[in-house]
Amino acid sequence: AREFIKDGTAPKVVLWNAVDLGYLTVQAGKLLADKRLTPGEHTMGRLEHIQVGSGTGPEPTSEVLLGPPLVFDRENIDQYDF
C-alpha cells in the first residue's frame, strides 16, 4: 500500500495486528462461553486495556475492542518496513 499512499491514490490505509486480533477473539470467546464477558476494561491474557461495551440490537451483545487501528498515511508510512 506504500506506493498508493505516496502517490495519493489512497490517502490512508488502516490495519490491526492480525495476531493480536486472533488472540483476542479466542480470549473473548472463552469469557463469553463461561458467561464472564462483562462490560468494562479487561486484561485478556497478554492483552491489557481491552474495552468491552454493550452492543445495540434486539439480542444481548457485547463489543470487544482491541484498540485503535494503526493508520498509515504520508506522514508515517516510511516508519514501517513491511
Side-chain angles (χ1 to χ4, degrees):
R2 182 184 318 275
E3 172 187 345
F4 301 115
I5 289 173
K6 288 199 169 213
D7 73 12
T9 302
K12 296 180 182 181
V13 175
V14 178
L15 292 175
W16 274 273
N17 181 320
V19 172
D20 286 350
L21 188 56
Y23 182 86
L24 177 60
T25 300
V26 172
Q27 294 291 316
K30 175 69 170 128
L31 289 174
L32 182 62
D34 293 343
K35 299 186 184 339
R36 296 187 307 128
L37 187 63
T38 57
E41 186 173 288
H42 295 266
T43 295
M44 294 188 185
R46 63 179 172 76
L47 301 174
E48 298 178 342
H49 310 294
I50 300 299
Q51 296 296 323
V52 177
S54 298
T56 59
E59 299 294 324
T61 60
S62 292
E63 299 169 335
V64 180
L65 303 176
L66 176 59
L70 182 55
V71 179
F72 299 95
D73 60 23
R74 284 185 180 179
E75 299 296 317
N76 69 2
I77 191 69
D78 289 327
Q79 296 172 24
Y80 302 92
D81 186 27
F82 56 84

